[in-house]
Amino acid sequence: MVPLAFISSTQTVPNLNKVPRHIAIIMDGNGRWARKRFLPRVAGHSRGVEAVRGTIRAAIERGVEYLTLFAFSSENWRRPVEEVSFLMQLFIKSLQKEVSRLHENGIRFRVIGDRSRFEPILVKAIAAAEELTANNTRLHLTVAANYGGRWDVLSAVNRVLARQPGLTGISEEMINDELSMSFAPEPDLFIRTGGEQRISNFLLWQLAYSEFFFTDALWPDFDGKLLDQAIASYQERERRFGRTSEQLTVSKGGEVERHA
């Protein structure tokens, strides 16, 4: 079963902190960043890896526990073959280069998404990185690759049906237990860079009650200051989860107290 703190926000009201416990990010704008500098699109993807390093460091410094990054969607296979090939190679090289550093810094690494289209060398690298970092708890870093929110929900439903033939109904709890992110609380804060204002099939189920922050900054330019802006915006929100403002009080410690 999923721990109580990880149950759907439509089923129970989560305890809240001033700093988002879980931040999810769509890293958009690599190609446009490169184009503005008269560089090939792939140069933007390479520069985006540096932004990932900085964001991981900034998240740890600010006390974030879970960081989920959307690296490659199930729809991104529609991009030019050369760009897709480069992205896959970049993923492999980044894993091989960064996994030791992640482990040394106490970061647990996971990948969510359909790995069936990945080359064996990438599948092997992912499995090795997940195994090496499995006991780390300083930060839970998740990369969504060949991931789609609809795929996630459909896969979860199919697993429920396969394990319990003859079901006459399916509950939220059953689906929650089978989702790719069942190990994590729902994102408190969702960030998208690059100026677009949509979620693009990312964590459709899990973002039900997340706070959204959109920025025109392109992903390679994302840094700790922009992360602070997003967190500051989050801290100004009143997260009611269906309740009225009168039912909310905020303690000095920053935790939202629940009242009937």
Side-chain angles (χ1 to χ4, degrees):
M1 293 295 293
V2 179
L4 180 60
F6 298 172
I7 291 176
S8 170
S9 55
T10 60
Q11 298 294 300
T12 187
V13 177
N15 292 320
L16 306 176
N17 300 315
K18 290 190 69 175
V19 175
R21 188 179 184 191
H22 184 179
I23 296 178
I25 306 177
I26 291 183
M27 307 178 292
D28 197 12
N30 290 334
R32 281 171 284 161
W33 182 91
R35 191 162 57 247
K36 286 174 62 176
R37 290 159 178 77
F38 303 101
L39 297 170
R41 285 178 57 85
V42 294
H45 295 306
S46 295
R47 179 63 180 80
V49 174
E50 297 180 30
V52 169
R53 294 193 194 102
T55 301
I56 292 171
R57 183 166 55 250
I60 290 174
E61 291 171 351
R62 286 149 183 80
V64 175
E65 297 178 45
Y66 295 82
L67 178 64
T68 302
L69 306 175
F70 202 8
F72 190 86
S73 77
S74 51
E75 291 76 45
N76 284 154
W77 294 102
R78 301 168 183 169
R79 292 188 176 188
V81 174
E82 297 80 7
E83 182 174 349
V84 171
S85 178
F86 178 86
L87 286 170
M88 293 298 115
Q89 292 303 313
L90 181 62
F91 195 3
I92 294 170
K93 291 178 181 178
S94 296
L95 270 178
Q96 294 172 338
K97 182 178 180 180
E98 303 294 338
V99 65
S100 295
R101 187 179 305 175
L102 294 175
H103 184 50
E104 290 168 4
N105 284 280
I107 298 169
R108 179 162 189 176
F109 175 81
R110 291 181 176 93
V111 171
I112 59 171
D114 183 0
R115 304 182 193 183
S116 64
R117 293 189 66 175
F118 293 158
E119 294 182 3
I121 186 174
L122 177 54
V123 174
K124 185 176 180 180
I126 292 170
E130 290 181 330
E131 182 178 0
L132 177 66
T133 64
N135 296 319
N136 297 336
T137 58
R138 189 180 185 191
L139 175 73
H140 294 263
L141 172 64
T142 303
V143 173
N146 195 24
Y147 174 89
R150 291 182 179 181
W151 165 87
D152 197 3
V153 175
L154 286 171
S155 297
V157 170
N158 285 329
R159 280 192 291 270
V160 170
L161 294 175
R163 292 177 183 178
Q164 302 184 53
L167 277 178
T168 57
I170 297 177
S171 67
E172 275 201 30
E173 289 81 1
M174 290 176 179
I175 295 176
N176 279 335
D177 288 352
E178 298 295 342
L179 289 169
S180 297
M181 295 292 295
S182 63
F183 58 85
E186 294 175 2
D188 300 293
L189 175 61
F190 163 76
I191 300 170
R192 180 165 186 158
T193 63
E196 304 290 354
Q197 298 189 13
R198 56 178 177 269
I199 61 175
S200 296
N201 200 19
F202 182 44
L203 299 179
L204 295 181
W205 182 280
Q206 297 89 342
L207 292 177
Y209 268 104
S210 301
E211 300 297 328
F212 286 17
F213 180 84
F214 299 105
T215 174
D216 291 333
L218 304 176
W219 175 248
D221 294 325
F222 193 81
D223 56 14
K225 290 182 179 179
L226 284 167
L227 182 63
D228 285 338
Q229 287 183 22
I231 293 175
S233 174
Y234 166 84
Q235 291 170 342
E236 294 173 356
R237 315 285 178 87
E238 184 178 77
R239 305 192 71 197
R240 297 190 299 272
F241 297 95
R243 300 165 295 171
T244 67
S245 296
E246 289 73 21
Q247 290 175 284
L248 307 180
T249 60
V250 181
S251 69
K252 293 181 180 179
E255 292 184 351
V256 175
E257 299 177 347
R258 301 195 295 274
H259 295 267

